[in-house]
Amino acid sequence: MSELHKFLFDGLPVRGIIVRLTDAWTEILGRRESNTATGPWPPEVAELMGQMAAAGALMQSNIKFNGSLILQIFGDGPVKVAVAEVQPDLALRATAKVVGEVPPGVRLSQLVNVANHGRCAITLDPKDKHPGQQPYQGVVPLHGDHREKLERLSEVLEHYMLQSEQLDTKLVLAADEKVAAGLLIQRLPVEGEGNLAGGSAAREERIGVDEDYNRIATLAASLTAQELLELDVDTVLRRLFWEEKLLRFPPQTPRFACSCSRERVAGMIRSLGRQEAEEILAERGDIEVGCDFCGHQYRFDAVDAAQLFAPKGDQPPVTSAVQ
Ligand SMILES: [Zn+2]
């Protein structure tokens, strides 16, 4: 079963999260594979999607936020868009639009950042929005400060965390056809740090803090993709941090779930307008819309479609004569 564990380093301003997606990840892969419109992802794309799903789960559980976290890459290579979306209860889904051939063994930049125009967006979309409220979105490029192309998604997201939260973060991500996993280590803000910034005591304190974080982040960075994919959570944490005292929280269970619905698709068809809907009906007999995330097909025939565009008063009564 998929699992996510949060932990603190006792007495140190450092926290961590480790996630291992198994059934949730193979469900995403399986649905893509059985989607006849797309077929399975090439392995290089699947690896990126698994890393995005694991990173999305880590980032969602790292914030206190009641809404969906949407991690998106807008690419300028064969992967045009890649999306991983995670709900506060760690229900997650992912999809990608791939155009053209993906040569075997390509690196991240060859997938999404060929001309250095690729970017990564992190959107926080609140569940209960006030009228007119926009989701929060942060965008980072897929290159470093000197326009060097980044070849690891973890580096891209470390930049985002530093930029948006001013927090040092170390991320390790890995995915294969069975497991998508990640480890996040983050330096916690120290209380009163700003007020004391001028004092030498504070500076000394800060040095100590950074040393702790740096030591732990270095240990985390020594974790290989193979270890992260193959070892269970307890073994990973014991091997990396056997000299540290960890405070562990009860594990959570990420799972695959898609939030698509017939009502949403109906709304989409309404937004096309009556004329376009009727044109599709005339051409194909019905309107069929497939969900990119889960593969579910929604079908609207001429009667269904007519109802979508009927004025409110003309809709047939919901309560039937039988009652
Ligand atoms: Zn769906």
Side-chain angles (χ1 to χ4, degrees):
M1 217 166 52
S2 302
E3 50 190 325
L4 180 141
H5 301 251
K6 292 172 131 179
F7 50 93
L8 287 169
F9 292 82
D10 193 17
L12 306 177
V14 185
R15 68 178 161 197
I17 313 173
I18 186 165
V19 67
R20 220 179 127 74
L21 304 175
T22 52
D23 53 350
W25 173 230
T26 51
E27 178 80 30
I28 290 172
L29 284 177
R31 281 172 182 263
R32 183 73 183 201
E33 210 172 310
S34 54
N35 186 335
T36 49
T38 63
W41 286 314
E44 296 77 11
V45 178
E47 187 184 357
L48 171 65
M49 297 312 296
Q51 292 193 10
M52 286 179 70
L58 291 171
M59 292 167 82
Q60 171 64 270
S61 80
N62 195 37
I63 51 174
K64 287 191 179 70
F65 175 70
N66 185 27
S68 38
L69 181 143
I70 306 151
L71 179 57
Q72 285 165 295
I73 290 181
F74 299 98
D76 64 2
V79 177
K80 302 301 172 195
V81 188
V83 186
E85 189 182 314
V86 188
Q87 304 302 323
D89 66 354
L90 301 182
L92 55 91
R93 59 180 193 164
T95 188
K97 186 173 164 59
V98 185
V99 177
E101 287 299 302
V102 175
V106 291
R107 308 175 75 189
L108 181 66
S109 68
Q110 293 163 290
L111 282 180
V112 292
N113 198 26
V114 174
N116 226 351
H117 294 143
R119 59 198 200 281
C120 175
I122 292 94
T123 306
L124 301 178
D125 192 10
K127 216 165 217 141
D128 308 306
K129 283 199 274 285
H130 321 296
Q133 188 183 356
Q134 294 297 314
Y136 165 82
Q137 191 176 65
V139 179
V140 283
L142 303 180
H143 60 71
D145 294 340
H146 306 287
R147 295 196 60 82
E148 74 280 15
K149 292 177 182 178
L150 301 177
E151 298 297 354
R152 285 204 297 260
L153 177 67
S154 55
E155 285 180 285
V156 174
L157 297 174
E158 284 167 8
H159 281 190
Y160 166 77
M161 307 279 229
L162 194 60
Q163 187 180 302
S164 73
E165 302 174 37
Q166 277 89 49
L167 291 176
D168 288 319
T169 307
K170 185 77 221 167
L171 265 176
V172 186
L173 301 168
D176 61 15
E177 71 282 4
K178 290 198 179 73
V179 182
L183 171 68
L184 177 148
I185 296 294
Q186 193 165 57
R187 185 170 64 79
L188 291 169
V190 179
E191 277 179 46
E193 195 179 353
N195 301 335
L196 299 167
S200 63
R203 274 202 299 275
E204 271 171 31
E205 188 185 47
R206 177 64 189 267
I207 289 166
V209 165
D210 287 348
E211 273 176 2
D212 287 324
Y213 169 77
N214 290 342
R215 181 182 72 252
I216 291 164
T218 305
L219 290 171
S222 73
L223 181 65
T224 66
Q226 197 185 1
E227 288 171 319
L228 187 55
L229 292 172
E230 289 176 2
L231 302 175
D232 63 80
V233 165
D234 289 347
T235 307
V236 170
L237 294 183
R238 204 171 46 239
R239 278 200 192 174
L240 288 178
F241 307 123
W242 61 279
E243 280 186 307
E244 313 289 337
K245 188 164 187 301
L246 298 192
L247 303 174
R248 304 267 304 261
F249 293 89
Q252 292 166 273
T253 310
R255 64 192 165 87
F256 169 82
C258 191
S259 50
C260 68
S261 68
R262 194 169 171 85
E263 290 68 44
R264 282 199 194 184
V265 175
M268 218 175 76
I269 296 170
R270 266 196 214 98
S271 69
L272 285 178
R274 179 172 222 143
Q275 194 185 341
E276 192 165 345
E278 280 172 358
E279 279 169 20
I280 299 171
L281 281 168
E283 196 180 309
R284 302 189 204 154
D286 52 21
I287 303 175
E288 207 178 16
V289 180
C291 174
D292 285 343
F293 288 94
C294 69
H296 190 93
Q297 292 288 326
Y298 295 92
R299 190 172 284 116
F300 291 76
D301 63 16
V303 177
D304 298 330
Q307 266 190 37
L308 294 181
F309 293 102
K312 278 244 154 54
D314 291 359
Q315 284 175 358
V318 179
T319 47
S320 73
V322 184
Q323 285 182 320

